[in-house]
Amino acid sequence: MSGTDHLDAPTGLRDVAVVAFAQSSHTRRTDQLSEVELLMPVLHDVLKQTGLTANRIGFTCSGSSDYLAGRAFSFTMALDGVGAWPPISESHVEMDGAWALYEAWVKLQTGEADTALVYSYGKSSPGSVRDVLTRQLDPYTLAPLWPDSVALAALQARALIDAGHTDERRLAETAVRSRRAATANPHAQLRGSADVEELLRQPYEVEPLRRHDCPPISDGAAAVILAAGDSARALHVNPAWIRGIDHRIEAHQPGVRDLTESPSTRLAATAAGAFDAPFDAAELHAPFTAQEIVLRRALDLGDGVPVNPSGGPLAANPVMAAGLIRIGEAAALIHRGEARRVLAHATSGPCLQQNLVAVLEGAAGTEGGAR
Amino acid sequence: MSKQPVAVVGVGQTRHVAARQDVSIAGLVREAAVRALEDAELGWSDIDAVVIGKAPDFFEGVMMPELYLAEALGAVGKPMLRVHTAGSVGGSTALVASNLVAAGVHGTVLTVAFEKQSESNAMWGLSLPIPFQQPLTAGAGGFFAPHVRAYMRRTGAPDTVGSLVAFKDRRNALKNPYAHLHEHDLTLEKVQSSPMLWDPIRYSETCPSSDGACALVLTGERGAARAPRPPAWVHGGAMRSEPTIFAGKDYVSPQAGRDCAADVYRQAGVTDPRGQIDAVEMYVPFSWYEPMWLENLGFADEGEGWKLVEAGVTEMDGDLPVNPSGGVLSSNPIGASGMIRFAEAALQVRGLAGEHQIHGARRALGHAYGGGAQFFSMWLVGSERPDH
C-alpha cells in the first residue's frame, strides 16, 4: 500500500504535506443550512483542487461536536454527505479538526494510506455557545457554577495584565491588527476595525476584556487533504510539508495552572521542531486577544513574525474548525509562495488547556532538509 | 513503509454494573487504567500518550470529557486524543492507539474507553429528537429489530435461534467476574418467555445498560520483551464506514463489515477464518446479531450462520467459541463495549482469560460496530509475534 517515497532515515517518519485547503465563508448564523449543507461545498472545493474523489482517498478523518449540534452522533450525517460508498477507511474525533488532521497524519505514517481527507465543522448559532462551552468543565466542581468561556478568558487576561506581560491597549492593538488583516481574507467574518482609541472607549464585556478582545460567534467548516511523498508531489506543485507536529494537554482545573504560561504549547513546539529555525509567519488559534500574548511567549515569537495574516480566530471562530483552519491558512501561505516556513497552532479547552503545534515548510530545496 | 509490530501488554477493566454510584467519571476510568498498568507492571511515567474513546457526550452530560479527565489519566504534559465513532468507538480507539505505536510515533500508549450510563438514560439518548429523525424508533433496539426480522425472513432461521445465543452468552458471563449480568437462575425457557421489547427482540435478548471502563497498554517489540506476562500481538486491524441510509444498503450484512474483515484477514494472512481463528469477541447487542455477523465476517456462508448457532459451534466448547466473556449481552458500557471485545480477544491469546479461557487459543478476533450498522472496527490478535 505504501507509496514510492523515500524513508526519512533519522526519524523513520514519512514526508507528509498539506496539498489542498478549503473553508466556508464564516458567518454569524446559517439558519437555512444544516451542518451537512454547510460542509458540502467545502468538501467539493477541496476535492476539486486535487482532482480526487472520496473513494480514491486512503483515509478520512473528521472533527466535530455533538454538543454544538444538539444531537448524538451528529457526525454520521456529515459522513452521509461525504458519500462513503463503497465503504471507506474512516474515523472521527470529538475534537477540533486539527486533531483529526493529527490522526490522519499518524495513519499516513503507518503506510496504510497515501492520501487523507480531513474535515471539521461547527455551528455555534443554534444555541448560546458561551453556555454550551461551560459543559466542557469538570462536571462536579466547575460546570455547576456555569463559568462561561468569556469569563474564564477574562481571568486569564487579568492574570497576564497583573503579571505585567500586557495591558489593555496592547490587547486592543492585537484586535485591530487581526481584523484589519482579515480585510484581505474573503472567508473572514469580521473584516476591518475601528482604531485603538475608539475600541478602548467601549465598555467591558467581562473586565478586563472588551467586545473586541473576544472572537465572533461563527458557523463554518473547513477541509484539508494530506498526501505522503510522491503522492503529495503529484497533487500540488508546492506542497506544504509537515516537518513536525505534536500536541500536549495540561491540567483541567484553572486554579492549578499558571494561566500566563502555556507549557503544553512549549512542549508541543519543542517536539515539533519549532525552535530549529525562524518562521516567516504564524497562524495561532488564540480566540481571545490576551491568548495571543500567552502563545507568543510560549513560542518565542517576536514582533518580527507576522501572526495571523488571515485575521485569525478574532476574525472568524467556527468552533471545532478554527484550529484546522490555522493549519490550512499556514499551508495556503506556502502554496501561494508567500512564505517558506510557517507555524500553525490549534487549541482546545478552557484557557488554552490543550495545544497542537505544526511546522510547515515549502519548496526551495527543503525536501529532506530541515526538520 | 513497514509498520512496527504492536503488542498488548496490559489489560484492565472495571466490574461492570448498572450504576457505579461510588465513583466519579474520573474514578471509573482511572480504575481501569490502573489495572491495565498493573497488568503491564508499568507506571504512569512509562506512558507516552493517552487515547480515550466514548460514545456520545450526552450520555454523561459532559462535553469533551477528556479535558476534565487529563489529570485522572496521567495525561498532563502528554498528547491526548479523543475518538468518537459511535458504538464501534471502543475498537476504533484501540486502533488509533495501536497506529501511534505502529507508526513509530510513540513507544508505549495507554488507551481507555468508558461509559457511565447511569448518568442519563441511554435508550432515550439514542432516540434522536425531531427535527433529526421522525419519532418512529425507541432506542437502538427499535432501529435494529426490522433488520433482524429481515435476516429471519431471508434465511428461514427458526424463531428460537436468538434465544440460544442469549442463553449461551449469559451462561458464559457466569465465568467472567467483570460481567454486569450474572443470572444464575436463567433458563432457556425464561429467555424465550421474557417480554417482547421490539419484535422479534425479547428482553433477555437485549444488552443491559452499564457503567464501565476498559483500558489497554500497547507497546512495541522492546516493551513486549520487558513485559512480565505474555503479550498479545496485533496481526491486523482496520476500520470501515458506510452511509447510514441509501438505496441498496444491506442492513443484514453491510458491505463495510465485509470489507473491514477482509482487510484484517489480509493483514493477518488469514485465508480460512473458521479454521484459523480460535475465539471471537463479537459485538452482539441483540442476540440475533451473532448469526448475522457470523456470515458478515466470513465464518459461515450466507444464510448458514444460524445453523452454526443451533449446532453449538459458538458455545464455549464448540469449535468456534463466540463471546466466552458473555459479550455485550452481559455487559454494555456503550463507549467501552468495543474495547472490551478487543481486550477479551487479547486476554484469550495471552492465556489470561481465567475461567472463560478457551484452551490453547492462538488467534482471536475482536469486533465492534456502531451507528446504523455502518461503522466497523476489528483487530486480530495472536500469541505469536507476526512475521511480517
Side-chain angles (χ1 to χ4, degrees), chain A residues 83-174:
Chain A
W85 188 259
I88 59 173
S89 177
E90 188 263 349
S91 185
H92 172 265
V93 295
E94 195 82 355
M95 306 178 84
D96 185 284
W99 279 267
L101 181 142
Y102 181 83
E103 185 183 330
W105 176 82
V106 172
K107 184 75 173 183
L108 297 195
Q109 293 303 335
T110 66
E112 289 174 359
D114 292 329
T115 53
L117 169 65
V118 179
Y119 61 88
S120 64
Y121 53 89
K123 280 185 61 157
S124 292
S125 63
S128 163
V129 71
R130 277 171 76 163
D131 291 331
V132 170
L133 289 174
T134 65
R135 303 301 88 195
Q136 271 186 348
L137 303 170
D138 181 324
Y140 305 96
T141 64
L142 277 177
L145 305 172
W146 295 81
D148 70 38
S149 47
V150 180
L152 288 168
L155 281 176
Q156 187 167 31
R158 171 58 68 204
L160 210 61
I161 291 170
D162 287 354
H165 296 307
T166 192
D167 54 32
E168 292 178 21
R169 174 168 295 273
R170 185 155 175 220
L171 297 183
E173 287 166 0
T174 302

Side-chain angles (χ1 to χ4, degrees), chain B residues 50-344:
Chain B
V50 178
V51 184
I52 185 167
K54 69 176 285 337
D57 291 357
F58 290 117
F59 283 177
E60 288 82 13
V62 186
M63 179 186 186
M64 301 159 75
E66 66 280 3
L67 294 166
Y68 136 74
L69 295 171
E71 290 127 302
L73 290 173
V76 173
K78 297 174 186 173
M80 188 173 195
L81 272 171
R82 156 70 194 288
V83 181
H84 175 19
T85 62
S88 64
V89 65
S92 308
T93 304
L95 290 175
V96 171
S98 175
N99 277 343
L100 284 167
V101 176
V105 174
H106 293 302
T108 303
V109 177
L110 171 69
T111 183
V112 185
F114 77 98
E115 210 71 71
K116 201 165 188 297
Q117 293 183 205
S118 65
E119 302 288 330
S120 72
N121 182 312
M123 195 192 87
W124 292 112
L126 289 166
S127 308
L128 300 179
I130 295 170
F132 301 113
Q133 200 171 75
Q134 293 304 309
L136 298 174
T137 59
F143 182 86
F144 291 116
H147 311 317
V148 169
R149 182 61 76 188
Y151 174 78
M152 296 167 76
R153 191 160 296 158
R154 194 185 284 187
T155 62
D159 291 354
T160 51
V161 169
S163 62
L164 299 176
V165 173
F167 184 59
K168 166 187 69 88
D169 282 5
R170 295 271 165 88
R171 297 283 296 174
N172 289 352
L174 296 177
K175 298 178 188 295
N176 176 4
Y178 295 104
H180 175 175
L181 297 181
H182 287 142
E183 298 181 314
H184 294 277
D185 301 329
L186 194 69
T187 62
L188 185 58
E189 292 67 34
K190 282 183 183 173
V191 173
Q192 290 172 346
S193 60
S194 67
M196 189 66 84
L197 287 187
W198 301 279
D199 192 353
I201 301 170
R202 290 180 184 275
Y203 178 76
S204 289
E205 297 173 288
T206 304
C207 53
S209 180
S210 315
D211 284 0
C214 182
L216 302 170
V217 176
L218 304 176
T219 189
E221 276 188 295
R222 276 183 302 164
R226 285 195 299 264
R229 280 175 272 279
W233 293 96
V234 178
H235 288 219
M239 293 187 241
R240 283 294 184 285
S241 309
E242 67 180 47
T244 321
I245 300 169
F246 62 98
K249 172 159 173 144
D250 186 352
Y251 281 102
V252 172
S253 187
Q255 186 67 39
R258 293 175 184 275
D259 290 359
C260 190
D263 192 356
V264 171
Y265 298 155
R266 180 189 55 75
Q267 293 173 39
V270 166
T271 50
D272 169 21
R274 171 89 188 268
Q276 290 174 273
I277 294 172
D278 304 314
V280 183
E281 281 285 341
M282 188 188 276
Y283 202 103
V284 179
F286 305 101
S287 59
W288 278 93
Y289 270 87
E290 179 176 300
M292 289 162 73
W293 294 144
L294 282 171
E295 296 173 27
N296 188 249
L297 296 174
F299 293 111
D301 290 336
E302 212 167 300
E304 304 288 313
W306 64 270
K307 295 177 185 169
L308 298 195
V309 175
E310 261 201 342
V313 169
T314 60
E315 298 271 356
M316 193 90 86
D317 58 1
D319 75 7
L320 184 71
V322 174
N323 291 329
S325 70
V328 179
L329 280 171
S330 305
S331 312
N332 189 34
I334 296 178
S337 286
M339 190 175 286
I340 297 169
R341 308 278 71 70
F342 279 41
E344 288 285 352

